[in-house]
Amino acid sequence: MPLSSKCWRRLLLCALIIPFHGIIITGPARAAIEPVAYQGLRISGHSIVRNDDGSWDQYQVRDAGGQYEIVKRTSQNSGLGWGPYTHQTNIPNDSGTIVSAIKDATGEIQMHFVRVRGSGASPNVTLFFDLYQTRSSNGGTEWDPVQVVFEGYVSDMQQQTLLSSGRILQPFHTFVPVAPDDPPTGRSYSSVLYSDDRGATWQQSPDQLLTP
């Protein structure tokens, strides 16, 4: 389902605010198609999920002696203190350190991260930052194999949003080297991936916000 121009304007406002504050919480993104059921928070690559009991779970990527893994720690006092990190699942060693996590309508975790492909200094020509996903099952005790949901050069990935219908939104920003770079077009654009089946499959909205 394409996003309306009103939704895109408000998502753009989020995209302009987020880089300066480093976090995303509810606000302008609440206007995306339908009421927002849940939205997490991201700080410097970490992703925080709020639980029904008021506790916070913080997810991040860590190098565990040569094996990249996603770990979690929990705070019972709104981030003033944290428990120990616990292993969640392994991810490929060529992954980046920025994650986007959210609880879906069933309480399982949807996790996105960026994986490096290629090399060199030419974005989306020889060097790619693909967007990957995994999700938990059985109350967070098991994780699906990772799958690629977008191939290209993801230069920024924002926090996921869960809508009241169960649809999950994943905003991101990418670079297209072959596009004209003069206004009103541009070589960068913001877009949204969405899933209506709890992250099993993902579609990209046909709408794009171009940046000169």
Side-chain angles (χ1 to χ4, degrees), residues 12-13 18 45 59 61 67 75 77 94 99 108 131 137 149 211:
L12 177 60
L13 179 58
I18 291 161
Y59 293 86
V61 175
Q67 173 61 63
S75 174
N77 53 8
D94 51 5
V99 296
E108 298 292 348
L131 189 58
S137 59
V149 294
T211 304

Side-chain angles (χ1 to χ4, degrees), residues 51-71:
N51 298 311
D52 293 339
D53 63 0
S55 63
W56 294 2
D57 288 337
Q58 181 195 64
Y59 293 86
Q60 67 182 82
V61 175
R62 185 172 66 175
D63 184 352
Q67 173 61 63
Y68 275 28
E69 63 175 351
I70 292 175
V71 294

Side-chain angles (χ1 to χ4, degrees), residues 1-3 8 191-192 194 204-208:
M1 177 189 302
L3 301 183
W8 270 115
S191 187
V192 173
Y194 62 92
Q204 183 179 354
S205 170
D207 298 313
Q208 300 176 357

